[in-house]
Amino acid sequence: MAVQLPDDMIVEILCRLPVNMVMRLKAVSKAWHRLISNVCAPLFSAAAAAHPSGFLFLCSYQIIGGLGYFAAYASYPDVRDCVGQTDGFVDSYACMLPFMLSSDHYFDCCNGLLLFVRREQREALPHYYFVCNTTTRQCIAIPNPRPRTAPFAAAIAYDPAKSPHYKVVRFIYFEEKTSCPVKLDIFSSDTGKWVRRRVMLSTELPHAAADADEYGCIRRSIYLDGMIYKLSFVVNYLIRFDLNAPSDVAIELPHKNAADRHGFIGMSRGSLYYSNHGESGLMISIWLLEDRCKRDPFWKLTHRISVDSLTSKYPDVRNSGFHFHTYAIHPASDIIFLGNPTMVISYDLKSNKSEEVFTLSSGLKISSGQHFVHLYSPCYAVLSNFDNNCG
């Protein structure tokens, strides 16, 4: 007589096997398909998120009359792909999109899911938002919010360790020169619907500058524990948007006279970090946000890196006139990734040792620098369709 193992024991056995083998075992039965899809795949995805396999970024190059742009990918830790060219990874998601990919379409990346926003308004393509999973070769068209208006700024929120569902967030600016969005449109893959709510800041931000480029938030987003974090264009403020309740917070940044205007935010081991150069520009400081989920969080200085000591190891960088900035933070170790428009290095905060990750070919530059480099890790979760499947 056959013995039926409990589900938790089956999951423990399956998670000891190679992930590709487990994904094929979904064909064994409906019960195994459900168990692997709902339990094993999120576990595999959460484990993969702790070990990034590459960098997604935009490259720029000189053309007559300006600059050209294209999407690029560099694998990590072994750089196997041809950095600075449209390689196989970029092709893997570009071919799934129902429109020609351009640098304006790629918007965000979170734990293996990519968000693309189509700004053009054509009835032949009724969708604005697309979520791609290159691992499962899926491209999901997200139903448009109501009222239907052209998208501006958006982010994707996904943590396979917490939930199999993701959210797409649209930030709405109704008035010019506002310091942060006034409303959020939030789409949940759990319900398949959008919900609109007002942004309710507990602290009023200073009035934005008169220049139109001075309002709003920086495009880069960090998702952590049901919250999305963005740096405001108003200097010295980080905005925390709560996706589950109208409880948003403006957090003053630690550097009031930083050499870099906005600095960098990143996530590692469940904590949020901020990095910026000091007023002199000679030190890169890294701060940890303590009591992150409370109304009055505060910053704790954790590390300082000497710019002179760093650039002395890379004379080409010193001679180029570029400076190192924080481009990414490893999600599960003491490594940060520092970069400039032509190269990225890894820096171990414990040993103070650095290694070159990749250098771009001559004539190419990383576009938008520290605000538009994303770490990528595979996601094994199968996404649900809503309006239709564009893949």
Side-chain angles (χ1 to χ4, degrees), residues 21 43 57 67 97 101 105-106 108 115 145 149 173 178 180 183 217 248-249 262 292 324 337 340 348 376 384 388:
M21 177 186 296
L43 289 174
F57 56 98
L67 294 174
L97 294 166
L101 177 67
H105 294 136
Y106 170 58
D108 200 12
L115 175 65
T149 56
Y173 300 81
T178 55
C180 77
K183 290 186 179 181
C217 290
D248 309 306
V249 177
H262 300 295
R292 179 177 49 80
F324 281 113
F337 300 96
N340 61 60
D348 191 312
Y376 173 82
S384 300
N388 60 32

Side-chain angles (χ1 to χ4, degrees), residues 100-141:
M100 187 66 69
L101 177 67
S102 75
S103 59
D104 288 337
H105 294 136
Y106 170 58
F107 235 84
D108 200 12
C109 173
C110 187
N111 289 321
L113 300 187
L114 310 182
L115 175 65
F116 297 88
V117 178
R118 185 182 61 82
R119 295 170 182 265
E120 304 89 347
Q121 299 184 56
R122 289 184 290 129
E123 290 302 321
L125 281 175
H127 299 281
Y128 292 142
Y129 303 93
F130 300 84
V131 175
C132 286
N133 185 344
T134 61
T135 306
T136 58
R137 299 200 54 79
Q138 289 180 282
C139 178
I140 305 300

